[in-house]
């Protein structure tokens, strides 16, 4: 049984290391900052005057495109966003988040799609309708903007954008817009329409410290989620170690159906959910200017959804519509949408699903938001949420602690049994189980605290991965709960206080907890666990270290109380004293005689 406990513990530690090294992370880009950028090739007209879908651009990176100098910008405003629309492409150039600053302590808002290949919802590589096409501004109100153009003198294209309201599906949201593009045949002849692709924007690194671990394109087909990282296109790979490096992929085409697609970074996302599923998605890398305080390449991702458009009957029309969310990755906001848009949070990606993070992470996010609503401080909210979780799991950890305490007490008798029946494994196992039964000991009880704690830990890790609420929120000496609490450097090495405190609490907790085994492997594992957790959390969000530290302090206090309490529930001890488990006198029992079997 002790070896099984050891194996379980080792597996859990390996899992923790795996999520840190190989979870939702992508390898840092390796291309130099001065890589060449190729432009899209020319396209050819299709029959009936329509434009065929062009071949995919051949360049390794998508180009950065800017508005023409003569572009006219029209805005849609509310208390949360300023969506700036351009008449070139009749689409959304970028979106500023009024509640989220770009730099801590500065008033300028974070702008999504500031540098991009295409404006959001622009037609990608569709001559006559794309970013190079000047649309006429038909109307503009505080809540709606309408553009119009005519393609080849035959098809009227009207593009309408409006801020959502409570009458919309899902009740509307201040970060959500409704988009409708209507194609109307101006002729008396049927006109086939080519396949079209709508850009969903460009996601970039948050700052120079962002390694792109959460920068990806997310896809949902109605059944499951797919996440495409930069590493899927950058080439290299493990094979490069053996001289078989994979070349970079200029364009990655993912087949549909696509219920929604998103481009996102650690805290923000652009999600387009069309009325009818797209037939595929196109993903490219885009090279951006390096950050001023870093020489590392700055590689982002851009994406587009592909749609099959029906033929237009004479004087007929068709509409391509959908809802666009451009805003922070706030679970409570995304969870209310009807098409599982909260999948951009990645709570069930990879190893997370095996630790039930799809259930645990949303619960922890809800608890954290409730605690913040009460306390008004996100650091205090993390502390309160941790205490709530510890209180919920208290009955289980108390039972496991009592079991571990009795197991430690039984080690001398277990040693005697092993020696006595060393040549008879079946008799040894039978005698061991009888001893456990007599003392009401669960042989795997010592694993229960770990099995309870690990889903909470991994759920919290997954929840923090994209919790925009914690960005730039201070607590104690930490300036930003979503980043390490670095207070200084020694020879260039950052000094992060909270992970060190967490390691101390873990070490004290290990010393106070009864060791139910003398197995060397398990003892070694218990010694290295504090070091593993420090390495795991050291350069991660200090909110995770706060959670682990408070969790450890609570457990220390709990264990001190348990260690001072008398174990009155051991039937064998009660029998030895001449009393039953309930404290009633037992007949035919000699006081002081130890009973191993009833």
């Amino acid at each position: 049984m002790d070896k099984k406990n050891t194996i379980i513990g080792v597996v859990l530690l390996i899992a923790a290391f795996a999520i840190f090294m190989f979870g939702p992370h992508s390898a840092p880009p390796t291309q130099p900052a001065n890589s060449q950028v190729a432009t899209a090739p020319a396209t050819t007209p299709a029959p009936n005057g329509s434009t065929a879908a062009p071949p995919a651009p051949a360049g390794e990176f998508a180009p950065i495109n800017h508005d023409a100098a003569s572009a006219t910008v029209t805005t849609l405003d509310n208390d949360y966003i300023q969506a700036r629309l351009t008449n070139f492409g009749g689409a959304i150039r970028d979106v500023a988040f009024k509640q989220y600053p770009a730099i801590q302590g500065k008033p300028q808002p974070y702008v999504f799609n500031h540098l991009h290949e295409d404006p959001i919802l622009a037609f990608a590589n569709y001559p006559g309708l794309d970013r190079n096409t000047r649309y006429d501004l038909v109307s503009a109100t505080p809540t709606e903007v309408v553009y119009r153009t005519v393609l080849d003198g035959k098809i009227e294209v009207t593009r309408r954008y409006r801020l959502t309201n409570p009458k919309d599906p899902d009740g509307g949201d201040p970060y959500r817009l409704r988009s409708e593009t209507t194609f109307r045949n101006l002729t008396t002849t049927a006109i086939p329409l080519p396949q079209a692709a709508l850009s969903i924007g460009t996601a970039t690194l948050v700052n120079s410290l962002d390694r792109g671990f959460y920068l990806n394109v997310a896809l949902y087909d109605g059944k499951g989620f797919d996440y495409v990282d930069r590493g899927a296109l950058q080439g290299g790979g493990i094979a490069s170690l053996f001289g078989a490096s994979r070349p970079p992929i200029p364009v990655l085409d993912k087949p549909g159906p696509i219920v929604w697609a998103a481009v996102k970074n650690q805290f923000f996302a652009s999600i387009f959910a069309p009325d009818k599923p797209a037939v595929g998605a196109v993903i490219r890398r885009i090279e951006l200017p390096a950050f001023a305080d870093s020489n590392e390449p700055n590689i982002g991702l851009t994406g587009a959804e592909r749609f099959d458009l029906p033929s237009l009957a004479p004087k007929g029309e068709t509409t391509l519509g959908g809802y666009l969310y451009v805003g922070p990755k706030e679970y409570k906001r995304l969870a209310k949408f009807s098409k599982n848009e909260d999948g951009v949070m990645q709570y069930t990606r990879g190893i997370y699903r095996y630790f039930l993070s799809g259930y645990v992470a949303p619960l922890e996010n809800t608890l954290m938001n409730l605690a913040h609503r009460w306390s008004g401080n996100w650091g205090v909210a993390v502390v309160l949420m941790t205490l709530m979780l510890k209180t919920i799991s208290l009955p289980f950890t108390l039972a496991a602690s009592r079991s571990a305490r009795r197991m430690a007490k039984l080690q001398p008798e277990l040693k005697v049994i092993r020696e006595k029946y060393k040549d008879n494994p079946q008799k040894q196992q039978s005698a061991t189980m009888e001893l456990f039964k007599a003392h009401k000991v669960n042989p795997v009880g010592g694993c229960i605290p770990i099995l309870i704690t690990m889903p909470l830990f991994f759920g919290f890790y997954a929840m923090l991965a994209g919790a925009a609420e914690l960005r730039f929120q201070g607590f104690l000496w930490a300036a930003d709960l979503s980043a390490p609490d670095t207070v200084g450097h020694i020879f260039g090495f950052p000094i992060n206080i909270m992970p060190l405190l967490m390691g101390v609490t873990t070490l004290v907790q290990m010393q106070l907890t009864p060791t139910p085994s003398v197995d060397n492997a398990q003892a070694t594992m218990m010694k290295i666990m504090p070091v593993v957790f420090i390495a795991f959390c050291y350069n991660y969000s200090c909110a995770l270290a706060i959670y682990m530290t408070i969790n450890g302090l609570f457990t220390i206090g709990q264990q001190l109380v348990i260690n001072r309490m008398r174990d009155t529930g051991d039937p064998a001890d009660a029998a030895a004293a001449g009393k039953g488990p309930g404290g009633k006198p037992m007949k035919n029992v000699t006081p002081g005689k130890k009973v191993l079997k009833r």
Side-chain angles (χ1 to χ4, degrees):
M1 292 299 177
D2 295 334
K3 291 183 178 180
K4 290 182 179 179
N5 291 355
T6 302
I7 293 173
I8 292 175
V10 171
V11 168
L12 291 173
L13 283 177
I14 292 174
F17 180 77
I19 191 175
F20 179 65
M21 297 299 295
F22 310 110
H25 310 327
S26 61
T30 57
Q31 286 74 19
N34 60 352
S35 297
Q36 295 297 313
V37 176
T39 57
T43 59
T44 56
N48 302 314
S50 63
T51 305
E60 183 178 333
F61 294 100
I64 297 176
N65 292 296
H66 301 279
D67 266 0
S70 59
T72 300
V73 175
T74 307
T75 62
L76 290 174
D77 276 274
N78 58 30
D79 292 338
Y80 293 83
I81 65 170
Q82 182 182 73
R84 295 185 278 253
L85 295 91
T86 172
N87 64 326
F88 274 81
I92 303 169
R93 189 187 71 183
D94 54 45
V95 180
F97 304 144
K98 297 180 180 180
Q99 308 289 329
Y100 288 89
I103 301 173
Q104 190 169 15
K106 303 291 185 180
Q108 291 79 13
Y110 184 92
V111 179
F112 196 94
N113 209 53
H114 174 59
L115 293 176
H116 53 256
E117 178 186 20
D118 286 300
I120 301 173
L121 296 186
F123 285 97
N125 299 310
Y126 197 138
L129 293 180
D130 62 10
R131 61 179 173 269
N132 298 312
T133 301
R134 185 196 296 268
Y135 285 67
D136 297 322
L137 179 63
V138 177
S139 63
T141 70
T143 59
E144 184 180 78
V145 174
V146 180
Y147 292 104
R148 175 188 178 275
T149 192
V150 177
L151 178 64
D152 297 331
K154 300 176 180 180
I155 302 174
E156 180 188 60
V157 180
T158 304
R159 312 209 69 188
R160 185 183 307 271
Y161 303 89
R162 65 172 174 82
L163 299 172
T164 56
N165 57 61
K167 294 182 180 180
D168 283 292
D170 306 321
D173 187 90
Y175 289 101
R176 214 177 191 205
L177 298 93
R178 172 69 183 174
S179 166
E180 293 179 349
T181 300
T182 301
F183 302 83
R184 187 165 69 90
N185 188 349
L186 301 177
T187 73
T188 57
T189 305
I191 299 178
L193 293 176
Q195 189 178 87
L198 291 182
S199 171
I200 52 176
T202 297
T204 64
L205 299 176
V206 176
N207 52 45
S208 61
L209 299 178
D210 185 355
R211 307 307 299 167
F213 295 159
Y214 310 104
L215 178 70
N216 56 52
V217 173
L219 307 170
Y220 179 60
D221 64 3
K223 297 179 181 179
F225 304 102
D226 187 16
Y227 305 95
V228 182
D229 299 311
R230 295 180 307 178
L233 294 94
Q234 72 180 23
I238 296 178
S240 62
L241 300 175
F242 306 96
S245 178
R246 174 173 57 85
I249 302 173
V251 180
L252 186 61
D253 197 326
K254 303 287 287 188
I258 306 294
V259 174
W260 58 256
V263 291
K264 64 189 187 67
N265 55 32
Q266 186 174 5
F267 300 115
F268 306 105
S270 169
I271 311 169
F272 183 60
D275 295 340
K276 295 181 180 179
V279 298
V282 179
I283 304 162
R284 298 199 70 192
R285 293 183 304 152
I286 182 168
E287 187 173 32
L288 306 164
F291 290 101
D293 57 346
S294 173
N295 294 322
E296 293 292 328
N298 181 6
I299 309 299
L301 282 177
T302 184
E305 294 180 51
R306 294 189 291 105
F307 297 90
D308 285 335
L309 301 177
S311 294
L312 290 178
K315 300 296 183 178
E317 65 179 41
T318 187
T319 297
L320 174 59
Y323 284 92
L324 174 72
Y325 176 92
V326 187
K329 289 162 58 180
E330 297 177 1
Y331 173 78
K332 65 176 182 177
R333 189 180 299 279
L334 296 169
K336 68 183 181 183
F337 300 149
S338 60
K339 294 184 178 180
N340 295 326
E341 283 95 324
D342 57 303
V344 300
M345 306 301 295
Q346 299 186 190
Y347 288 164
T348 59
R349 188 183 184 189
I351 197 172
Y352 291 149
R353 74 184 66 178
Y354 302 112
F355 289 93
L356 307 177
S357 292
Y359 302 98
V360 177
L363 171 63
E364 291 179 322
N365 187 283
T366 301
L367 290 175
M368 186 176 69
N369 276 275
L370 288 174
H372 174 260
R373 190 181 306 171
W374 181 80
S375 66
N377 181 277
W378 285 107
V380 174
V382 172
V383 173
L384 292 177
M385 185 210 68
T386 306
L387 294 176
M388 282 190 281
L389 291 175
K390 288 297 292 182
T391 302
I392 293 171
S393 62
L394 186 59
F396 303 100
T397 55
L398 285 175
S401 297
R402 285 194 294 266
S403 179
R405 185 178 178 185
R406 290 181 191 173
M407 182 70 79
K409 184 175 65 175
L410 294 180
Q411 289 307 306
E413 295 180 59
L414 286 171
K415 185 176 181 180
V416 170
I417 290 175
R418 293 191 193 102
E419 288 294 327
K420 183 176 181 179
Y421 301 111
K422 61 183 178 181
D423 296 327
N424 191 340
Q426 291 184 345
K427 186 66 176 176
Q428 181 184 126
Q429 184 177 8
S430 176
T432 299
M433 294 308 296
E434 286 292 330
L435 181 64
F436 290 160
K437 183 178 179 181
H439 288 268
K440 281 192 176 180
V441 170
N442 183 353
V444 295
C447 294
I448 293 178
I450 296 178
L451 294 176
I452 292 175
T453 302
M454 293 305 288
L456 298 179
F457 175 80
F458 279 95
F460 197 67
Y461 187 98
M463 186 263 289
L464 287 179
E469 299 96 325
L470 300 182
R471 182 172 177 262
F472 295 163
Q473 298 298 319
F475 180 64
L476 299 177
W477 58 83
D480 184 356
L481 285 169
S482 67
D485 61 327
T486 304
V487 296
H489 293 78
I490 297 180
F491 302 111
F493 185 79
I495 305 302
N496 304 333
I497 301 299
M498 197 59 70
L500 298 176
L501 293 178
M502 179 207 66
V504 172
T505 59
T506 304
L507 182 62
V508 174
Q509 179 183 337
M510 297 298 180
Q511 296 296 322
L512 291 174
T513 304
T515 304
S517 172
V518 293
D519 182 81
N520 290 333
Q522 187 171 0
T524 301
M525 182 192 71
M526 299 297 282
K527 290 178 181 179
I528 67 172
M529 188 177 292
V531 179
V532 170
F533 278 127
I534 290 176
F536 186 92
C537 297
Y538 197 77
N539 288 314
Y540 197 68
S541 159
C542 70
L544 182 66
I546 291 174
Y547 164 77
M548 293 294 291
T549 301
I550 299 301
N551 183 84
L553 290 173
F554 188 100
T555 304
I556 288 171
Q558 171 187 298
Q559 197 62 49
L560 286 172
V561 173
I562 292 175
N563 290 348
R564 292 175 178 272
M565 294 173 59
R566 294 184 58 189
D567 186 3
T568 58
D570 190 333
D573 288 349
K579 297 181 179 181
K584 298 180 180 180
M586 294 181 62
K587 297 180 181 180
N588 303 321
V589 176
T590 303
K593 182 177 180 180
K594 183 172 290 187
V595 177
L596 297 182
K597 184 175 180 182
R598 296 182 62 191

